[in-house]
Amino acid sequence: MANTAATLPNADSPPTSNVVQNPRSDRPLYAGFSRFELELEFVQCLANPYYLNHLASQKVMQDTSFIEYIRYLQYFTQPTYTRYLSYPGPSLKALQLLQQEKFRQDILSPDIVSRLAAEFLLASIKSQ
């Protein structure tokens, strides 16, 4: 992940336990990255249907805290934050789909994963 801390928006400060202070600012770092950078990386990972399938197979998507986190990450749909996404189409589509309980169950199907992978790949190619 490139060091773009100077150009990233300032996120709300999370709890400071196990957090290293960034010597260049007052924003805390997690393993050297800001909270926004970690959230950005996670949202971009959601554009991978095989990753979504893995999360579903590990029953992560059944956890209410995961569902609340997905709801929280909806701020990426705002243009201010969308501009940081490498492939906004697939990432935002995944965020939208993950809000639906039926999708969180359906993503376990290899057919759904393959179809979504093809759809996301096509959307990524068109966005370049």
Side-chain angles (χ1 to χ4, degrees):
M1 192 181 308
N3 187 359
T4 58
T7 61
L8 297 176
N10 194 1
D12 293 331
S13 294
T16 57
S17 61
N18 298 325
V19 175
V20 176
Q21 282 301 112
N22 181 348
R24 293 173 289 161
S25 76
D26 61 350
R27 290 187 295 159
L29 293 180
Y30 303 87
F33 299 102
S34 72
R35 179 177 170 178
F36 177 77
E37 289 172 305
L38 295 173
E39 290 170 354
L40 174 64
E41 186 72 21
F42 180 70
V43 169
Q44 293 187 125
C45 287
L46 297 178
N48 181 343
Y50 299 100
Y51 179 61
L52 297 177
N53 176 267
H54 172 74
L55 291 176
S57 69
Q58 299 300 309
K59 302 188 184 323
V60 171
M61 292 185 186
Q62 295 174 0
D63 189 342
T64 55
S65 60
F66 176 80
I67 298 164
E68 289 298 318
Y69 187 56
I70 293 299
R71 203 170 294 146
Y72 161 76
L73 291 173
Q74 294 303 309
Y75 75 85
F76 275 98
T77 62
Q78 299 171 14
T80 303
Y81 300 101
T82 300
R83 68 189 179 119
Y84 293 103
L85 296 169
S86 297
Y87 299 102
S91 299
L92 296 176
K93 181 68 172 180
L95 269 178
Q96 176 191 12
L97 290 171
L98 285 168
Q99 293 183 75
Q100 303 169 21
E101 183 177 349
K102 182 169 177 15
F103 175 78
R104 293 192 304 268
Q105 295 166 358
D106 289 348
I107 195 64
L108 285 167
S109 164
D111 293 335
I112 298 292
V113 172
S114 295
R115 194 167 72 218
L116 198 58
E119 181 183 318
F120 283 4
L121 178 63
L122 188 60
S124 296
I125 292 170
K126 286 182 180 180
S127 71
Q128 290 184 356

